[in-house]
Amino acid sequence: MTTVFGSGLYLTDALLGPALGTAAARPLFTHYDDATGERMELSGTTAANWTAKAANLLRDECDVEPGSRVSVLLPAHWQTAAALLAVWSCGAELVGDPATADLVLADAARLDTALAAGADAIVAFSLDAFGRGLTGLPTGVLDFASEVRVHGDDFVPWDPVPGDAVAWDGATGAEVLDAALARAAALELTEGARVLSTLAWDSPDGLRDGLLAVLAAGASLVQVVNADGSLERRAETERATVRLG
């Protein structure tokens, strides 16, 4: 089933919209981890489905709603992109400091930081290429891989999320989008561009340039983590037109 956004989810609609419609079957995210040999490719449709599943999980299992504060302690990864878009689909605010969050999303490497922050809820991400979850999690910590699969591919918001809703550390969705579009222009990202990036997403600048600007421009992303020196060959194979990082 194809997820159709456009139900008043301002920031999610603006960032995913260019990848849907006639471009829905084209690659949107291509993820490489050179340390493990992993390669994963998602079309616009598949990315939207994952976003919807994650949004349903956050709302139904973690009570994320407009006014909730969510901290995302995750690396540059396609699941991170879906999680971020899911946060905004629920109308929640992304916050950088996990100590101020109601919910923290974290991978295994950052789980101790999430636990120390004292959030009301934590969702742990294995980021496993085959969908395997984490075992031995502390009581009350949800495993994303096992929980998300039972949720639907369509997300229907209870209420619209307008552009003036707070989206990221006090900035509204409209302000976040404007900043992403400005960076897209500065980086010369255009609709249909194929962007190969090694930028980390663990800073506001890295997240804005490495993900949001790419989506806002209507480009597609080839994300490489743990790069092993084969970037030139990979850029040629993936027909990258822009390099970041």
Side-chain angles (χ1 to χ4, degrees):
M1 182 178 296
T2 300
T3 300
V4 178
F5 289 88
S7 303
L9 303 178
Y10 178 86
L11 191 52
T12 304
D13 291 342
L15 294 174
L16 267 183
L20 299 177
T22 58
R26 299 174 189 168
L28 178 60
F29 295 116
T30 305
H31 179 83
Y32 284 93
D33 186 338
D34 286 346
T36 64
E38 174 189 350
R39 181 187 185 277
M40 180 68 73
E41 186 168 274
L42 278 75
S43 67
T45 295
T46 306
N49 287 347
W50 273 97
T51 296
K53 282 180 172 291
N56 282 315
L57 181 144
L58 295 185
R59 183 182 64 188
D60 298 344
E61 305 295 336
C62 305
D63 298 322
V64 176
E65 59 185 7
S68 297
R69 295 164 62 83
V70 182
S71 182
V72 176
L73 306 180
L74 295 169
H77 192 277
W78 64 267
Q79 289 186 26
T80 304
L84 288 164
L85 292 167
V87 168
W88 289 321
S89 297
C90 292
E93 178 185 5
L94 178 66
V95 295
D97 183 1
T100 69
D102 304 303
L103 169 69
V104 180
L105 313 181
D107 64 351
R110 298 165 178 83
L111 187 54
D112 286 346
T113 300
L115 291 166
D120 293 336
I122 297 172
V123 178
F125 286 64
S126 68
L127 305 177
D128 184 79
F130 298 101
R132 291 184 290 257
L134 294 168
T135 59
L137 292 172
T139 301
V141 177
L142 293 179
D143 175 57
F144 179 80
S146 58
E147 295 288 340
V148 75
R149 65 186 60 162
V150 303
H151 289 275
D153 292 346
D154 293 290
F155 179 72
V156 180
W158 289 328
D159 296 296
V161 181
D164 59 1
V166 176
W168 187 4
D169 279 334
T172 67
E175 290 169 336
V176 171
L177 180 60
D178 286 347
L181 288 169
R183 289 303 299 158
L187 295 167
E188 299 183 340
L189 307 181
T190 57
E191 184 174 359
R194 188 84 164 138
V195 181
L196 188 147
S197 175
T198 57
L199 292 177
W201 299 352
D202 54 3
S203 70
D205 288 344
L207 178 58
R208 188 176 295 112
D209 287 5
L211 176 64
L212 303 188
V214 176
L215 295 179
S220 62
L221 177 64
V222 180
Q223 180 70 41
V224 182
V225 299
N226 301 315
D228 64 4
S230 61
L231 289 177
E232 291 296 335
R233 175 173 52 81
R234 184 153 296 133
E236 182 178 355
T237 300
E238 295 290 345
R239 298 180 180 179
T241 57
V242 180
R243 291 274 297 272
L244 298 178

